[in-house]
């Protein structure tokens, strides 16, 4: 594209991404504009912004099927008191465990739908092998929430009066040059860097970014509600440097606020994690597990309800579904994710 610089995206791909019902659109948000020059092919748009979405809604039944007990426990642990049958006086941290596709996100979504105040961040699977990138992911998500929830106006993020409230204690040399001026990192400064520069900095100074996350999280809680629920989803995707600092972030939040926290993970990918063990040592922890999954293949009633309530209400109302769900259940085994994925074209069975 002689005469034009920047990043360009195919128009059809852009339409797919902007379709929130598409797989790409469920996890990515982009903004585009018509190219300024005349040298770009007409089937391309200029990409002006890109970010990952935090999305818990993944289809499936419009009510909890098969995990009613786990839902009751998780909802109780995230409220002001634990379940009556639990002898722990004060549980502030809940660890939600389950293998991939077993329904952790669905349970969290159900709890958050009925919670008055929460902050949700999620670790990206792509972060696992890039040192410091999980901290960067969380920091950028918290900044986005500050703006999207109108806790702060975007122009205020850029004002020195606001950002000095979120300055990190201590001074860090951004350039790595020991002779350079030592300036503190502010929310605005970090947000203005390209992603690659953010990750490079986090790899060298992970504690600084962790402190920035802590400051932003406490700022959110201050403006939202004292008992705000902090949810850190998919911590098993964390890179090795970020993981202990993210668990410390949870501990700091529980110590400095009246809020509670939920951390979800796949136990098979966090085997004997020292960071998680240390977190559990310092406060009472409740565990809710969906590791066993749902026995869809052998429980016909369960499989029927899962399939039936996954259909749009206007389709299922006044109708009975045939035996096709049994075939899907055999394929799914114990995985709700496989079941709902297999059912994406369920309307065709009528």
């Amino acid at each position: 594209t002689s005469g034009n610089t920047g990043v360009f995206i195919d128009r059809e791909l852009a339409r797919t991404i902007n379709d929130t019902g598409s797989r790409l659109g469920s996890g990515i948000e982009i903004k585009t504009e018509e190219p300024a020059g005349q040298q770009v092919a007409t089937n391309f748009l200029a990409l002006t912004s890109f970010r990952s979405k935090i999305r818990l809604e993944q289809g499936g039944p419009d009510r909890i099927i098969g995990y009613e007990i786990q839902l009751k426990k998780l909802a109780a642990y995230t409220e002001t008191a634990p379940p009556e049958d639990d002898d722990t006086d004060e549980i502030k941290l809940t660890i939600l465990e389950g293998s991939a596709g077993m329904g952790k996100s669905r349970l969290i979504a159900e709890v958050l739908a009925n919670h008055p105040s929460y902050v949700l961040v999620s670790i990206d699977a792509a972060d696992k092998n890039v040192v410091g990138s999980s901290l960067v992911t969380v920091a950028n998500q918290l900044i986005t929430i500050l703006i999207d929830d109108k806790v702060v106006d975007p122009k205020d993020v850029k004002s020195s009066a606001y950002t000095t409230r979120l300055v990190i204690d201590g001074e860090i040399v951004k350039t790595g040059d020991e002779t350079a001026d030592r300036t503190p990192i502010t929310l605005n400064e970090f947000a203005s860097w390209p992603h690659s520069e953010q990750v490079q900095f986090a790899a060298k100074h992970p504690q600084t970014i962790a402190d920035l996350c802590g400051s932003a999280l406490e700022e959110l809680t201050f403006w939202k509600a004292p008992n705000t629920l902090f949810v850190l989803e998919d911590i098993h995707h964390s890179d090795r440097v970020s993981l202990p600092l993210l668990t410390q972030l949870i501990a700091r939040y529980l110590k400095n606020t009246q809020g509670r926290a939920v951390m979800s993970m796949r136990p098979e990918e966090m085997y004997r994690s020292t960071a998680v063990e240390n977190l559990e040592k310092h406060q009472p922890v409740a565990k809710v597990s969906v590791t066993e999954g749902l026995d869809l293949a052998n429980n016909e009633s369960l499989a029927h309800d899962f399939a039936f309530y996954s259909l749009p209400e206007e389709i299922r109302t006044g109708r009975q579904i045939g035996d096709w769900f049994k075939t899907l259940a055999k394929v799914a085994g114990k995985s709700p994710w496989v079941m709902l994925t297999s059912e994406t074209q369920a309307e065709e069975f009528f």
Side-chain angles (χ1 to χ4, degrees):
T1 56
S2 177
N4 290 83
T5 59
V7 178
F8 300 90
I9 185 170
D10 179 80
R11 289 177 185 270
E12 185 60 35
L13 177 58
R15 278 194 290 270
T16 300
I17 294 173
N18 287 328
D19 177 5
T20 56
S22 70
R23 184 176 181 83
L24 279 173
S26 68
I28 299 173
E29 180 179 285
I30 64 171
K31 292 182 180 179
T32 60
E33 63 184 19
E34 293 292 334
Q38 300 298 319
Q39 304 301 318
V40 178
T42 56
N43 61 316
F44 283 88
L45 292 168
L47 183 65
T48 58
S49 72
F50 166 95
R51 74 174 184 181
S52 297
K53 291 180 180 178
I54 310 172
R55 181 180 174 87
L56 290 171
E57 297 80 3
Q58 299 177 1
D62 58 11
R63 64 200 66 191
I64 293 294
I65 301 293
Y67 285 145
E68 291 81 4
I69 293 175
Q70 289 90 336
L71 175 62
K72 182 179 179 181
K73 288 184 177 181
L74 186 59
Y77 287 132
T78 54
E79 291 175 352
T80 57
E84 294 179 0
D85 60 353
D86 195 286
D87 58 4
T88 302
D89 293 331
E90 183 65 17
I91 293 177
K92 297 187 71 176
L93 172 63
T94 304
I95 297 178
L96 176 59
E97 297 181 328
S99 301
M102 291 302 177
K104 299 184 298 297
S105 294
R106 181 66 181 85
L107 274 176
I108 291 174
E110 191 74 16
V111 168
L112 297 187
N114 297 289
H115 202 282
S117 179
Y118 65 87
V119 173
L120 166 69
V121 295
S122 180
I123 308 299
D124 195 304
D127 292 338
K128 185 119 183 150
N129 298 314
V130 183
V131 172
S133 61
S134 301
L135 283 167
V136 170
T137 294
V138 171
N140 282 322
Q141 289 176 1
L142 290 171
I143 291 170
T144 297
I145 296 169
L146 278 167
I147 295 172
D148 286 356
D149 284 12
K150 295 181 173 56
V151 173
V152 58
D153 190 276
K155 66 177 181 294
D156 291 332
V157 174
K158 298 180 179 180
S159 72
S160 59
Y162 179 78
T163 57
T164 50
R165 296 173 56 186
L166 297 178
V167 168
I168 302 308
D169 293 333
E171 299 178 336
I172 300 295
V173 181
K174 174 187 166 188
T175 63
D177 181 357
E178 293 300 324
T179 64
D181 292 336
R182 302 179 72 85
T183 55
I185 305 303
T186 65
L187 182 73
N188 174 47
E189 183 179 8
F190 175 81
S192 69
W193 298 346
H195 184 264
S196 59
E197 189 173 342
Q198 291 178 334
V199 173
Q200 290 172 10
F201 183 86
K204 293 180 180 180
H205 308 290
Q207 186 64 59
T208 300
I209 305 305
D211 288 343
L212 180 62
C213 289
S215 297
L217 181 56
E218 287 169 22
E219 180 78 0
L220 276 166
T221 302
F222 176 81
W223 288 105
K224 290 168 76 71
N227 62 342
T228 293
L229 177 65
F230 176 46
V231 180
L232 179 55
E233 194 187 25
D234 291 342
I235 197 169
H236 53 272
H237 288 319
S238 300
D239 65 89
R240 59 181 178 80
V241 170
S242 297
L243 176 58
L245 293 171
L246 289 172
T247 57
Q248 290 171 25
L249 174 66
I250 294 174
R252 168 180 169 172
Y253 180 73
L254 297 179
K255 178 181 178 181
N256 296 343
T257 73
Q258 301 175 39
R260 295 173 180 267
V262 173
M263 181 175 72
S264 75
M265 66 181 192
R266 301 174 188 170
E268 70 273 16
E269 297 186 29
M270 299 284 289
Y271 181 66
R272 291 185 179 176
S273 166
T274 302
V276 174
E277 287 180 355
N278 289 339
L279 180 63
E280 293 182 35
K281 287 179 182 178
H282 292 92
Q283 58 269 306
V285 176
K287 290 190 177 182
V288 177
S289 176
V290 293
T291 301
E292 296 299 320
L294 300 177
D295 194 7
L296 297 163
N298 298 306
N299 189 324
E300 184 174 314
S301 175
L302 186 67
H304 171 276
D305 289 350
F306 193 98
F308 183 78
Y309 289 107
S310 294
L311 296 171
E313 188 172 2
E314 62 272 17
I315 292 178
R316 70 180 190 237
T317 299
R319 299 187 181 185
Q320 293 184 347
I321 59 176
D323 291 338
W324 53 266
F325 72 89
K326 298 179 184 179
T327 301
L328 299 187
K330 294 296 182 184
V331 173
K334 292 188 175 183
S335 173
W337 184 84
V338 173
M339 183 72 171
L340 69 90
T341 301
S342 301
E343 200 182 347
T344 52
Q345 303 299 322
E347 294 90 338
E348 297 178 7
F349 287 98
F350 289 97

